[in-house]
Amino acid sequence: MKKGTQKMEQSAHTSLAKPRGNSRYNLIVSLLVGAAVAGAGLYLLVSRAAGPFVTVNAAQLTPSGSASIVTDPTVGSALAFGSGSVGTATCTYPNPDCTGIPATTVVSKTVQGDFNATTAGQVIDGWHITGNLNIQASNVTVKNSQIDGTIDNETGPTHYGPFTVADTTIGPASGCVSLPGIGESNYTATRVLIRGHDDGFRMSGNDVTVTDSYAHLCWNPPSIAPPDGSHSDGFQNYCKDSSGGSSVCINLTFNHNTIDEHDIAGNSAVNAGSNADGSKFGTVTMNDNLFWGGGYTVVTQWGSGPIWTIHNNRFVDKGWQYAPVDAEGTCANQDWAGNSIVTVDAKYNITSTVRAQGCIQ
């Protein structure tokens, strides 16, 4: 198993009883109902859901038809239309049911082949791009979309950004692409689903935040990914300067994600800071994730900056080839707390806790 550098790849309603009595009574009731609806409308303006949801005051509304009340720990009660989830409320750890393009999305535009986003502030919402999405402007937003290729903001030596991706599926429905699903720097990914890629999230510059996202990696043989097949990583930093030397990459936040490569010859769910990929990698927060598979499930080689924070992560039991953790002798610069080995079911729910897991030199 090689831990080194990889190929540079790369309408709800409320049922109301019919009013009875005289017209004055009816008028009063109508006014009260109107006020209630107007009040409820204030709640309808606030939404952060991955699917068709709006936040509501659950005590004031009684859903009917396809609507239902669900609860999210961040936004509170919400009114759901049809199937789906509010953020990751229905998923202990992210899985395909609560990440990616919402099932109720109506695709408004299909782009055959690659698309270059060259307009600052552009919003790509409800698109299907059959090729790659190349970010070539600042403040591009991608949401509720499907990108069959990769999303990348690196053109030559230039990294464009920032950009954001949310509630989006990245990768083909079948096959395996020898490219990272998303990269390279200055991006925020939320409730993203990566499939059909042998690398998940790539960082070759500063400022990457990945939360509530899911990646199930694939593997290509040497004939497709020479010289020895895919070195599949759920997350990998690639901090090299133009001469091949190590440059500084800082500010990674990787919280509440699921990385699954247990069924392939994977490298690591997280490959962070290894010398071959640029050892001056720092300022890392990695909390509340679920990792499964790899030679070493996570490689966390501190290289620079403050002590890394690695808390409350779960490593699926016996998913690794060698060990769940390899810190390459840098445990003194890592704050490990609350991490453990677990077993899971098909939806990545924890079925048992095997033992605590600390840093391994």
Side-chain angles (χ1 to χ4, degrees):
M1 197 281 298
K2 294 185 178 181
K3 291 184 293 179
T5 184
Q6 299 190 21
K7 304 159 295 304
M8 189 55 179
E9 306 155 353
Q10 345 190 275
S11 134
H13 60 273
T14 300
S15 298
L16 299 175
K18 183 178 179 180
R20 293 176 296 176
N22 59 36
S23 58
R24 178 177 296 178
Y25 178 87
N26 292 344
L27 176 61
I28 292 171
V29 169
S30 298
L31 290 173
L32 290 174
V33 169
V37 170
L42 293 177
Y43 291 99
L44 301 181
L45 296 175
V46 183
S47 177
R48 61 172 291 277
F53 303 90
V54 288
T55 56
V56 298
N57 185 329
Q60 292 183 354
L61 293 179
T62 302
S64 63
S66 64
S68 62
I69 296 292
V70 295
T71 301
D72 180 277
T74 302
V75 300
S77 298
L79 186 62
F81 302 87
S83 61
S85 64
V86 178
T88 55
T90 62
C91 301
T92 304
Y93 290 97
N95 67 50
D97 294 338
C98 53
T99 58
I101 183 171
T104 53
T105 298
V106 176
V107 174
S108 61
K109 180 174 182 176
T110 297
V111 176
Q112 299 294 335
D114 296 351
F115 180 81
N116 297 330
T118 58
T119 302
Q122 181 170 9
V123 177
I124 296 171
D125 185 2
W127 288 25
H128 179 197
I129 299 173
T130 67
N132 300 322
L133 172 57
N134 302 309
I135 306 296
Q136 298 177 348
S138 62
N139 297 308
V140 173
T141 297
V142 185
K143 59 183 179 179
N144 307 315
S145 295
Q146 179 173 319
I147 316 300
D148 292 348
T150 187
I151 300 179
D152 190 273
N153 72 329
E154 181 181 61
T155 302
T158 302
H159 284 207
Y160 295 88
F163 71 98
T164 63
V165 185
D167 305 306
T168 290
T169 298
I170 304 173
S174 61
C176 185
V177 181
S178 287
L179 286 168
I182 184 171
E184 297 282 334
S185 65
N186 208 4
Y187 67 85
T188 298
T190 308
R191 296 182 301 277
V192 168
L193 185 156
I194 293 180
R195 65 187 184 187
H197 283 272
D198 63 1
D199 266 8
F201 302 91
R202 172 71 62 83
M203 181 175 181
S204 63
N206 297 335
D207 303 322
V208 168
T209 297
V210 181
T211 58
D212 299 333
S213 294
Y214 170 84
H216 192 171
L217 306 182
C218 59
W219 183 86
N220 277 322
S223 59
I224 298 176
D228 54 359
S230 297
H231 294 190
S232 301
D233 292 301
F235 168 86
Q236 182 187 22
N237 72 287
Y238 194 91
C239 301
K240 296 286 190 178
D241 62 27
S242 58
S243 64
S246 182
S247 60
V248 177
C249 291
I250 61 172
N251 293 338
L252 168 68
T253 299
F254 199 82
N255 292 346
H256 197 240
N257 305 293
T258 298
I259 304 295
D260 185 355
E261 58 175 11
H262 81 280
D263 51 353
I264 63 170
N267 193 46
S268 294
V270 168
N271 187 1
S274 64
N275 285 326
D277 298 327
S279 61
K280 295 180 182 178
F281 175 61
T283 315
V284 172
T285 300
M286 192 166 67
N287 297 337
D288 302 311
N289 301 286
L290 178 68
F291 300 129
W292 193 359
Y296 294 91
T297 299
V298 300
V299 177
T300 55
Q301 184 175 1
W302 177 91
S304 65
I307 290 174
W308 293 5
T309 300
I310 304 176
H311 290 179
N312 302 317
N313 298 287
R314 309 292 175 243
F315 306 83
V316 178
D317 192 29
K318 300 180 176 63
W320 54 85
Q321 183 178 356
Y322 303 115
V325 180
D326 182 4
E328 299 281 6
T330 65
C331 284
N333 295 101
Q334 300 180 35
D335 175 17
W336 281 63
N339 304 286
S340 61
I341 306 297
V342 300
T343 61
V344 296
D345 64 16
K347 292 290 187 180
Y348 304 97
N349 296 305
I350 305 300
T351 54
S352 70
T353 297
V354 178
R355 65 177 184 274
Q357 180 61 58
C359 188
I360 300 174
Q361 293 281 17

